[in-house]
Amino acid sequence: MTHGTILLLAIFIPAGVTLLIAALGSRPDLRDGASVLASIATFIAVMTLLGPVMEGARPEAALFEVMPGLLLAFSIEPLGMLFAVVASGLWIVTAIYSIGYMRGAGEKKQTRFYICFAIAISGALGIAFSANLFTLFVFYEILTISTYPLVAHKETPEARAGARTYLAILMTTSIAFLLVGIVWVWNIAGTLDFQAGGILDGKLDPAFAPFLLALFAFGIGKAALMPFHRWLPAAMVAPTPVSALLHAVAVVKAGVFTMLKVGTYIFGVGFLSKTGASDWLIWLAAASILIASIVALTKDDLKARLAYSTVSQLSYITLGVALANQMGVIGGSMHIATHAVGKITLFMCAGAIYVASHKTKISELDGLGRKMPITFIAFTIAALSIIGLPPMAGSWSKWYLMMGAADAGQLAIIGVLMLSSLLNVAYLLPIPARAFFAAPAGRPAHSLGAAANPEADRIEEAPLLCLVPICITAVGCILLFFAVGGLYDFLLHIPILPEAAP
């Protein structure tokens, strides 16, 4: 089997399994098993391609030509490979977690849920392996449309309102800004293909470069750059596995991946650096980092606080693009992986808390850590990773972003990143602190000893199918810290300069 065939299988296995999921709708065990098996098969296909890509191969596949010079085509390079490994790998743990959550929470219409979830993964992998902007745009819209029913899943007035906000912002930005930017690139460059070093140098007047970059920065709404971020908190009405999909596996990572891809392979890091076209984006990203963190501090709803945390953390990756140097690109790319593992753990913990206790407010969590120690230990590990404390994975991506800021002469940005970490501490660590050390409502603090009321401290964790994925990703936050050498070496292969002529 050729690498091109495996590439297509990786993209279309998730879409293809939807037929089986639909046929098994009346047999939940088989239906859910099909979803898990498809996630494993997809991950195996992606990992089969990892070795050749690390050795310098660039697998390609084309489906058809839309018009002369415009193909629906796929090609793998290191940045896309990273996103594909993250998306397909985390789909496995999310598929397992979804079984425990959807059944534990008594969610209805689970067959529709699994169908839309699989299509969304297919869309994310199509984005990861896109060979040009046209293909990326097609799968970008597939991802938006397929996740709309997931956001509206509960079918309550709040869910429908949140889903409308979600769809309206993402569709409006992609059509009004992103599509216009793509057409502009086609007109001046005569191609939409992703190329090492970019395709705009010598073809775009540097005076217009900031405006074209703005079309992409705001058109890629999934990157949740302020002020086009409201869709993300609005989508928190969805079931928690959907929140995990939105924040860690597919949607937001598709957004920031697209920002990295456009900055590296369309504009080119060298072009952005010498023209200063991305200088304004540095400060907008920095503002988004701090403002979203401050807003997170005000939220008592756990998922809402995590949502604004995600808005802040995504802007780290946009910042990496805007710094326009190799360390910035490496730091931003690394943050795709480190943030994904940490944030999916936090959201799965939030879902486990809901399933076990039906609590959604941070103010309701006092003392819950003694009933759910595994969940809150995992939450603490993931929170430390998001904050960026060693030996957690998130410390490395922040380190390389600081190096990128230093290389760009943006010393103030180092201060922004340090302040952001302090804000991370302020809005994340009080959550497990309250759970472990605060007295439950109606129970005096002096009665916290184990002998005071053993029955009140009886462990009541979420179902095992929720706990196992949480433990896996929490351990991943630690293991990824020690595996960073190989990840760094892999990311060095992201081409920053144009390929030399033969």
Side-chain angles (χ1 to χ4, degrees):
M1 189 178 295
T2 66
H3 290 156
T5 302
I6 298 172
L7 186 161
L8 293 175
L9 281 175
I11 296 172
F12 293 111
I13 284 174
V17 79
T18 58
L19 299 176
L20 183 59
I21 291 173
L24 296 173
S26 60
R27 306 176 71 178
D29 291 344
L30 293 177
R31 176 200 63 201
D32 298 354
S35 177
V36 173
L37 289 175
S39 68
I40 294 172
T42 302
F43 182 66
I44 291 173
V46 169
M47 293 304 291
T48 301
L49 297 166
L50 178 60
V53 172
M54 292 181 68
E55 294 172 359
R58 297 295 179 263
E60 298 178 346
L63 293 183
F64 54 84
E65 188 175 49
V66 179
M67 57 184 291
L70 193 62
L71 293 170
L72 191 71
F74 307 97
S75 179
I76 307 180
E77 42 71 45
L79 182 56
M81 193 75 244
L82 172 68
F83 178 39
V85 169
V86 170
S88 61
L90 292 183
W91 185 25
I92 298 175
V93 293
T94 310
I96 297 170
Y97 176 86
S98 296
I99 299 172
Y101 179 92
M102 298 299 283
R103 296 186 182 189
E107 294 286 353
K108 299 179 180 179
K109 299 186 177 179
Q110 295 185 27
T111 299
R112 182 185 68 188
F113 169 88
Y114 287 110
I115 288 173
C116 292
F117 208 108
I119 295 173
I121 296 296
S122 187
L125 291 174
I127 291 171
F129 294 153
S130 293
N132 55 57
L133 274 173
F134 170 74
T135 305
L136 189 149
F137 183 80
V138 169
F139 282 88
Y140 184 97
E141 297 302 312
I142 289 172
L143 181 57
T144 299
I145 294 169
S146 64
T147 47
Y148 169 76
L150 294 173
V151 176
H153 181 83
K154 291 181 180 293
E155 299 183 354
T156 62
E158 295 79 9
R160 289 191 174 98
R164 285 195 297 270
T165 300
Y166 173 83
L167 189 64
I169 293 177
L170 292 187
M171 293 297 289
T172 300
T173 53
S174 67
I175 293 172
F177 302 131
L178 179 57
L179 185 58
V180 173
I182 291 172
V183 172
W184 189 351
V185 170
W186 172 264
N187 283 333
I188 62 175
T191 181
L192 296 177
D193 291 347
F194 295 119
Q195 295 179 16
I199 61 176
L200 298 181
D201 197 2
K203 297 177 181 177
L204 176 65
D205 185 336
F208 293 110
F211 300 99
L212 179 57
L213 182 61
L215 288 175
F216 282 100
F218 296 124
I220 303 169
K222 291 184 177 70
L225 188 67
M226 289 185 169
F228 298 104
H229 69 287
R230 269 292 303 141
W231 66 269
L232 207 160
M236 291 303 96
V237 294
T240 300
V242 178
S243 301
L245 173 76
L246 295 174
H247 289 264
V249 183
V251 179
V252 296
K253 291 304 182 294
V256 289
F257 165 78
T258 301
M259 283 293 300
L260 280 166
K261 191 94 170 181
V262 167
T264 306
Y265 292 97
I266 296 297
F267 283 87
V269 171
F271 180 71
L272 290 176
S273 178
K274 74 179 182 181
T275 61
S278 61
D279 288 352
W280 66 274
L281 187 56
I282 292 175
W283 297 107
L284 180 59
S288 293
I289 289 170
L290 296 181
I291 293 171
S293 295
I294 293 169
V295 174
L297 282 168
T298 69
K299 299 298 180 182
D300 187 40
D301 183 271
L302 179 54
K303 286 176 66 176
R305 182 172 294 193
L306 296 180
Y308 276 98
S309 169
T310 298
V311 174
S312 174
Q313 295 287 318
L314 292 177
S315 291
Y316 279 67
I317 302 170
T318 300
L319 175 64
V321 180
L323 291 172
N325 55 45
Q326 187 174 43
M327 286 298 102
V329 171
I330 288 176
S333 303
M334 196 175 288
H335 205 62
I336 287 180
T338 59
H339 176 260
V341 177
K343 189 53 66 72
I344 197 172
T345 305
L346 294 179
F347 269 102
M348 289 193 298
C349 287
I353 293 166
Y354 175 76
V355 169
S357 68
H358 294 285
K359 298 182 186 298
T360 60
K361 304 293 185 183
I362 296 169
S363 57
E364 300 171 340
L365 302 182
D366 292 357
L368 195 60
R370 290 181 294 281
K371 291 188 176 184
M372 304 180 67
I374 297 175
T375 298
F376 280 98
I377 289 171
F379 189 100
T380 304
I381 291 171
L384 292 175
S385 184
I386 296 296
I387 291 165
L389 292 178
M392 306 299 168
S395 60
W396 285 117
S397 51
K398 292 190 178 185
W399 171 258
Y400 286 112
L401 284 169
M402 287 185 182
M403 290 182 65
D407 288 349
Q410 298 284 357
L411 300 185
I413 297 300
I414 298 177
V416 168
L417 294 172
M418 295 175 68
L419 179 58
S420 170
S421 289
L422 292 176
L423 290 169
N424 296 163
V425 171
Y427 67 69
L428 286 176
L429 289 190
I431 298 170
R434 294 186 70 149
F436 283 119
F437 304 116
R443 185 177 174 188
H446 61 73
S447 69
L448 292 181
N453 189 352
E455 181 63 23
D457 288 336
R458 183 166 56 88
I459 293 177
E460 296 176 355
E461 291 279 7
L464 187 62
L465 289 177
C466 288
L467 283 183
V468 170
I470 288 172
C471 293
I472 290 172
T473 54
V475 172
C477 291
I478 301 172
L479 294 181
L480 195 54
F481 174 86
F482 297 100
V484 74
L487 179 57
Y488 175 80
D489 291 341
F490 181 67
L491 294 176
L492 282 175
H493 290 89
I494 298 175
I496 301 299
L497 300 175
E499 295 177 349

